[in-house]
Amino acid sequence: MEAGKFDDALEDIESVKEKVAAGSNTVSPKDIKKIVDSINSGKSNLEQAMRAFDNDICSVAKFHFQQVKKIAPQSTGVNLFIAECDLEDATEEKAQDYRSETASILKRDSKNIHALLVRGKAMIVLGDLAMGMNHLKEALKLDPDHKRAKAAFKNLRKLQSAIDEVENIQQKDFEKASQDYKNFVALKPPRSVLKKVGLKMCQLMNQLKKFQEAESYCSKVLDVDSGNVDALVGRGDARVELQEYDKAIRDYELAFNSQEGHTREVEAKIQTAKRLLKQSKNKDYYAILGVSRQASEKEIKSAYRKLALQWHPDKHQGEQKVAAEAKFQEVAMAYEILSDPEKRQMVDRGEDPNDRQGGGGGGGGGPFGFGGAGFSMNGRTFHFRFG
């Protein structure tokens, strides 16, 4: 029984009742009553379903459509209304089912507007926006005033425009990129599209060295798709820069344990993160001088000169002098190690050169009047090389 034909069914039942009264039909009055009650129930549920559907209360509409389906299980129209409700928040697997079901319907009836609309929405959920647009256009060709097709078409154009804005974020500043993403999310895009754009934002934030933001964007992708390899690696990269090495290792290992992420590149990232974790437990000579691990020799020398002047013991008095001496000693030690290529390589491997040496080394004079003999403190002599 097709939805919307309950009135016709009731008329048919009246005809059957007349035949029964005349004694020309074997259907009992009791059976007729059951049929009439069933039809009336279907009609009532259909009316309630349509009212809820028209008011965008899909949870209520779907319940009543399901009741109608019990009476009219083969109703194409009812099934398509249920599909529309499901596609408001459907998984990609569910959208694939509806893509297949509507293909069968359209094979029988290529001008079924409702099927074209549902198939278009299924394509959008699957991230195939171009194909979704094509199906909505076909529906509107058949009925230019179709309310739901027009609304879906308008929303899709807005979504595509917002995606285009995000796609061009390479040339924009951080604030503009973030605002474009917020505008995009406000349109409630399907999960497949949200993943794609969120991943792009994660990669961009890593490029802009906005590592906390990169971690956040990749986490949003992983909230939708916990096994997304690109998001795991992107978040791992951000966490390395944030010195969250334990978390980075977990992300990289989750990626590496998948078929897609089982690559030498990811394996190398795991080893690097483990090395940095080990190194983080040693004294951080780069942090002492306030330079990055990629700092050039010139940057290291410049940072040392600035700090050596700042913490020179002769520039401090009283209790401050004691603290300054300790700081000056620490700065001198960091420079002595990082200015030595071999010792710096040891640091970069996660080793602490001080675990293998008994004192300072090197030669040459310093710019602060310490002379070739260097600077002696607490039984230790530091030599300065500025050449």
Side-chain angles (χ1 to χ4, degrees), residues 143-365:
D143 182 0
D145 296 321
H146 194 286
K147 183 179 177 181
R148 299 196 309 284
K150 285 173 70 175
F153 183 77
K154 182 179 179 180
N155 289 337
L156 180 54
R157 289 188 64 179
K158 285 183 179 178
L159 178 61
Q160 187 61 65
S161 177
I163 292 172
D164 291 341
E165 286 293 315
V166 179
E167 290 289 342
N168 295 323
I169 53 182
Q170 294 92 335
Q171 305 302 322
K172 299 177 182 176
D173 57 25
F174 166 68
E175 288 75 14
K176 185 67 168 67
S178 299
Q179 186 57 52
D180 285 344
Y181 181 79
K182 289 178 182 177
N183 295 339
F184 160 74
V185 172
L187 295 173
K188 298 181 180 180
R191 279 186 277 261
S192 57
V193 180
L194 190 62
K195 284 191 294 184
K196 177 183 176 182
V197 176
L199 184 59
K200 190 171 186 68
M201 287 297 293
C202 170
Q203 294 167 340
L204 175 71
M205 292 302 120
N206 270 330
Q207 292 170 12
L208 293 176
K209 302 188 185 304
K210 299 284 186 179
F211 301 117
Q212 287 185 334
E213 288 79 5
E215 182 182 28
S216 175
Y217 281 117
C218 274
S219 293
K220 290 174 182 176
V221 174
L222 293 166
D223 287 341
V224 177
D225 180 7
S226 60
N228 190 292
V229 170
D230 290 333
L232 285 168
V233 173
R235 189 170 71 176
D237 291 346
R239 286 175 165 174
V240 164
E241 297 297 336
L242 293 170
Q243 299 183 14
E244 298 173 355
Y245 302 121
D246 284 322
K247 292 181 179 180
I249 291 168
R250 285 199 296 272
D251 282 340
Y252 289 145
E253 287 182 340
L254 282 171
F256 188 70
N257 290 334
S258 70
Q259 183 174 358
E260 182 185 348
H262 200 78
T263 65
R264 289 183 179 179
E265 180 183 0
V266 176
E267 185 177 23
K269 287 178 181 288
I270 293 172
Q271 297 308 315
T272 298
K274 287 182 175 180
R275 172 175 57 78
L276 291 172
L277 175 61
K278 178 182 177 183
Q279 183 175 313
S280 70
K281 296 175 182 178
N282 297 329
K283 189 180 288 291
D284 190 342
Y285 297 107
Y286 289 102
I288 292 170
L289 293 183
V291 296
S292 73
R293 296 184 180 278
Q294 290 75 39
S296 64
E297 292 181 17
K298 183 178 179 181
E299 289 171 327
I300 290 173
K301 185 184 296 184
S302 175
Y304 168 68
R305 285 175 169 168
K306 180 180 178 180
L307 291 170
L309 280 172
Q310 178 183 347
W311 296 108
H312 193 288
D314 290 348
K315 298 181 71 174
H316 300 270
Q317 301 295 327
E319 293 183 2
Q320 291 185 352
K321 186 178 182 71
V322 176
E325 287 175 348
K327 187 66 177 179
F328 185 85
Q329 182 179 2
E330 184 180 52
V331 168
M333 181 190 301
Y335 176 69
E336 183 179 9
I337 287 172
L338 294 182
S339 61
D340 183 311
E342 283 190 29
K343 292 176 182 176
R344 184 175 180 180
Q345 286 181 5
M346 290 175 64
V347 170
D348 290 342
R349 290 196 301 269
E351 303 172 18
D352 191 338
N354 274 332
D355 291 340
R356 300 187 180 185
Q357 66 183 38

Side-chain angles (χ1 to χ4, degrees), residues 27-47:
V27 180
S28 70
K30 185 177 179 180
D31 288 337
I32 290 176
K33 185 178 185 304
K34 286 182 180 180
I35 295 170
V36 170
D37 289 344
S38 177
I39 292 172
N40 283 330
S41 174
K43 182 179 178 182
S44 175
N45 274 293
L46 181 61
E47 290 171 350

Side-chain angles (χ1 to χ4, degrees), residues 43-212:
K43 182 179 178 182
S44 175
N45 274 293
L46 181 61
E47 290 171 350
Q48 293 179 75
M50 291 308 302
R51 279 198 299 270
F53 188 85
D54 289 340
N55 286 291
D56 296 323
I57 311 174
C58 251
S59 59
V60 176
K62 186 176 176 181
F63 170 79
H64 289 293
F65 280 131
Q66 293 285 9
Q67 303 311 305
V68 176
K69 190 174 179 180
K70 292 177 182 178
I71 302 168
Q74 302 304 317
S75 172
T76 299
V78 168
N79 289 331
L80 288 172
F81 274 118
I82 292 172
E84 274 198 81
C85 284
D86 283 343
L87 288 169
E88 291 297 316
D89 188 32
T91 61
E92 291 179 43
E93 291 75 16
K94 194 69 174 176
Q96 288 172 351
D97 290 341
Y98 285 130
R99 180 179 62 183
S100 299
E101 290 177 20
T102 50
S104 298
I105 295 171
L106 291 168
K107 190 173 182 179
R108 299 192 303 268
D109 179 8
S110 62
K111 294 184 178 182
N112 187 313
I113 297 173
H114 203 172
L116 286 167
L117 171 60
V118 170
R119 186 169 174 80
K121 288 187 172 184
M123 292 296 185
I124 294 168
V125 171
L126 292 170
D128 192 343
L129 304 189
M131 189 61 72
M133 183 74 78
N134 288 340
H135 282 85
L136 294 178
K137 285 180 178 178
E138 286 299 315
L140 289 171
K141 281 181 183 178
L142 295 169
D143 182 0
D145 296 321
H146 194 286
K147 183 179 177 181
R148 299 196 309 284
K150 285 173 70 175
F153 183 77
K154 182 179 179 180
N155 289 337
L156 180 54
R157 289 188 64 179
K158 285 183 179 178
L159 178 61
Q160 187 61 65
S161 177
I163 292 172
D164 291 341
E165 286 293 315
V166 179
E167 290 289 342
N168 295 323
I169 53 182
Q170 294 92 335
Q171 305 302 322
K172 299 177 182 176
D173 57 25
F174 166 68
E175 288 75 14
K176 185 67 168 67
S178 299
Q179 186 57 52
D180 285 344
Y181 181 79
K182 289 178 182 177
N183 295 339
F184 160 74
V185 172
L187 295 173
K188 298 181 180 180
R191 279 186 277 261
S192 57
V193 180
L194 190 62
K195 284 191 294 184
K196 177 183 176 182
V197 176
L199 184 59
K200 190 171 186 68
M201 287 297 293
C202 170
Q203 294 167 340
L204 175 71
M205 292 302 120
N206 270 330
Q207 292 170 12
L208 293 176
K209 302 188 185 304
K210 299 284 186 179
F211 301 117
Q212 287 185 334

